Amino acid sequence: MRITRITYGEAPIASRIANAVIDFSRMTVSIVAVHTDLVVDGEPVVGYGFHSNGRYAQSGILADRVLPRVREAAPERLLDPGTGVIDPVAVRAVAMENEKPGGHGDRAVAVGTLDMAMWDLAAKAEGLPLYRLLHRRFGTAPEPASSVWVYAAGGYYHPDKPIEGLCREIRGYLDLGYRDVKIKIGGAPLAEDRRRIEAVLDLLPAGSRLAVDANGRFDLPTALEYARALTDYDLMWYEEPVDPLDYLGHAALAESYPGALATGENLFSAADVRNLRRHAGLRPGLDVLQMDPSLSYGVAEYAAMLGDLAQAGWSPRQVCPHGGNQINLAMAAAFGFGGCESYPEVFQPFGGFAESTPVRDGRVALPDAPGLGVELKPVLHSLLREHLH
Ligand SMILES: O=C([O-])CC(=O)C(=O)O
Ligand SMILES: [Mg+2]
C-alpha cells in the first residue's frame, strides 16, 4: 500500500462552557486524513485523525514540519516490511526527524493527530477493529477487554446554568446509563463549589461516584485548603489541583489528602510522565493517571509511558485517559486501563463513541468495525469527509 495524499484542516469545537482556567469560546481541533491506493470493498482506504479538546489546532506544525517529512519519505520506510501495511510507529519516527528532545508541547498534538490517522489506516488495512490491532502489538493480557468503564465528564461553569442546571445535567448522564460523573471546581469560591458538590452528591444513587477537576488552577495553599474541604466527601478523585508540572506540589498534596488524586492530561511525553512518577509522590495503588494519547504523540509514546510506569510498580488499571474519544476507548481495551473519560454533552462531534454502543451500567462496548470507528459516528464522519476529501 502507498499513501497517495495527506490532507489536514481545522474544525471548531467552540462552546460557552468554562473550566477554572479557560473558556472554550475559540477552541479548535486539527483534523487529518491519510489517503491511500489500497482498495477494500471497492473504496480506497482512508485513515482519519483528530485530537482532543483543550489544545488548539496545530496547522502550522502539521503543514511546515510533520506532514512534509512523511510526504517526502521513501514510501517503504513507512511500511511494516513483514506485512506491507502502514506501520504507525515507523511513520511517527519519520514525522519526528530533525526535532530536538524536550519541548514536547510544541508538536506533541500535531504528531498525535497524525498518529491517530495512521492507526486508523493500519487497522482498516488489516481488517481489524483498532483495539484488536493495538492489543496484538502492545497488549499484555491474553485478550483485550470487550467493554470499558467510562464516566461522564461535564459540570462546567456556564453563564446560564446555576446549580439547578448542573443537577439537570448530571441526572441526564445517569439517564444515559452512566454511573459516575465529574464536575469542575476552582472557577467559583470554595463555599459555592461546596454547594455544587453537595447538590450533585445528593442526587447520585448509591454506588455512583463523583470526581472534581480544578484544571491546575490552584496555588499550593489553595489546593491544600480545598483538599481539607474535599476530605469531607468520599470523592472518586481530586483532579489537577495544581499546575501539571508542579511535581513537588502534588507530593505535598499526596501526603495530606487521603483520597485519590488524578493528573496527567497536560503532560505530553514519556519524559514528562517519568518526572511525574519520580517526583510527584503519587501513590501507585490509589492515584489516577490521565495522559491523553492524541495530545501526547499518540500510541507509541503512550506505550513508552506505560513501560516506565510498569517497572515502577504502576498497573495500567490506574490509567484513565483524558479526552473522551474513540482512540481512548480502543487503547483502554487493548492496554487494560481502568477506564476512560466520556463527554456526553460537550466537545461533539469529536467526543463520544460509536452510535451502536450506548453506555450501559457505566460501561461502553468495543465496536467490531475495522479501524478507529469514525464511520460509526455519522456526524463526525461527514464533517471529516467534507473538510478532507
Ligand atoms: O476542561 C477541560 O479542559 C477538560 C478536562 O480537564 C477534562 O476533561 O478532564
Ligand atoms: Mg481534567
Side-chain angles (χ1 to χ4, degrees):
M1 73 186 283
R2 290 282 184 270
I3 293 172
T4 51
R5 231 161 27 108
I6 305 180
T7 48
Y8 69 95
E10 285 186 17
I13 47 164
S15 69
R16 294 180 68 213
I17 59 174
N19 64 33
V21 290
I22 62 164
D23 67 48
F24 289 80
S25 56
R26 295 183 177 212
M27 186 56 61
T28 53
V29 296
S30 281
I31 51 179
V32 168
V34 183
H35 307 257
T36 69
D37 62 0
L38 181 68
V39 175
V40 172
D41 295 337
E43 291 274 332
V45 177
V46 180
Y48 294 109
F50 56 89
H51 61 83
S52 309
N53 60 287
R55 299 284 150 190
Y56 296 87
Q58 300 283 310
S59 306
I61 297 176
L62 281 165
D64 300 340
R65 286 152 52 192
V66 170
L67 296 185
R69 291 178 190 130
V70 177
R71 288 186 183 122
E72 289 160 20
E76 57 279 8
R77 290 189 62 207
L78 309 177
L79 303 181
D80 177 330
T83 60
V85 165
I86 209 82
D87 177 358
V89 179
V91 174
R92 181 228 142 106
V94 168
M96 284 292 287
E97 279 170 356
N98 277 329
E99 295 285 337
K100 292 176 77 174
H104 302 290
D106 172 43
R107 67 219 165 191
V109 177
V111 176
T113 304
L114 180 67
D115 189 75
M116 191 193 292
M118 292 296 171
W119 282 106
D120 182 30
L121 191 59
K124 284 170 173 162
E126 298 261 13
L128 286 174
L130 178 56
Y131 78 101
R132 290 206 174 273
L133 179 64
L134 294 176
H135 178 263
R136 191 174 83 189
R137 184 135 180 191
F138 298 102
T140 50
E143 284 294 321
S146 56
S147 71
V148 170
W149 171 78
V150 291
Y151 68 94
Y156 282 81
Y157 298 98
H158 189 288
D160 307 330
K161 203 165 167 189
I163 286 188
E164 306 78 68
L166 174 66
C167 291
R168 222 176 7 260
E169 176 190 338
I170 301 296
R171 271 192 222 99
Y173 297 154
L174 299 175
D175 291 346
L176 283 172
Y178 292 91
R179 290 171 64 101
D180 305 300
V181 298
K182 182 168 88 183
I183 66 169
K184 297 298 176 185
I185 58 168
L190 175 56
E192 189 182 329
D193 276 340
R194 265 187 179 279
R195 281 194 290 278
R196 289 162 51 82
I197 291 169
E198 287 169 14
V200 173
L201 287 174
D202 277 350
L203 68 81
L204 288 184
S208 284
R209 303 199 69 193
L210 170 66
V212 296
D213 185 359
N215 286 96
R217 167 74 188 262
F218 302 141
D219 58 13
L220 185 56
T222 312
L224 286 165
E225 186 190 358
Y226 263 79
R228 279 190 294 278
L230 297 179
T231 303
D232 293 348
Y233 314 109
D234 178 27
L235 294 178
M236 189 160 71
W237 65 65
Y238 173 19
E239 178 170 327
E240 285 210 301
V242 291
D243 186 279
L245 299 178
D246 181 0
Y247 299 136
L248 295 185
H250 285 86
L253 279 158
E255 275 195 4
S256 73
Y257 181 63
L261 297 169
T263 191
E265 69 176 70
N266 289 302
L267 300 185
F268 299 132
S269 68
D272 289 347
V273 174
R274 188 178 57 214
N275 276 336
L276 181 81
R277 193 260 298 157
R278 281 179 175 158
H279 304 297
L282 296 181
R283 300 150 293 182
L286 177 66
D287 295 319
V288 177
L289 302 176
Q290 303 174 299
M291 293 74 69
D292 181 327
S294 73
L295 301 183
S296 57
Y297 294 111
V299 173
E301 187 80 12
Y302 220 94
M305 296 172 188
L306 294 168
D308 173 76
L309 289 166
Q311 57 79 26
W314 284 81
S315 156
R317 304 294 304 166
Q318 296 305 120
V319 174
C320 184
H322 165 274
N325 51 40
Q326 289 170 298
I327 190 101
N328 296 1
L329 186 71
M331 289 182 65
F335 286 90
F337 299 161
C340 75
E341 184 169 24
S342 176
Y343 298 114
E345 221 176 60
V346 291
F347 309 130
Q348 298 303 331
F350 295 95
F353 313 113
E355 287 195 358
S356 52
T357 57
V359 182
R360 293 232 164 81
D361 202 20
R363 301 187 71 84
V364 172
L366 274 292
D368 280 336
L372 175 63
V374 297
E375 294 76 8
L376 307 174
K377 283 174 63 67
V379 178
L380 175 59
H381 188 214
S382 45
L383 179 147
L384 293 169
R385 287 186 64 86
E386 193 180 304
H387 281 73
L388 300 172
H389 281 246

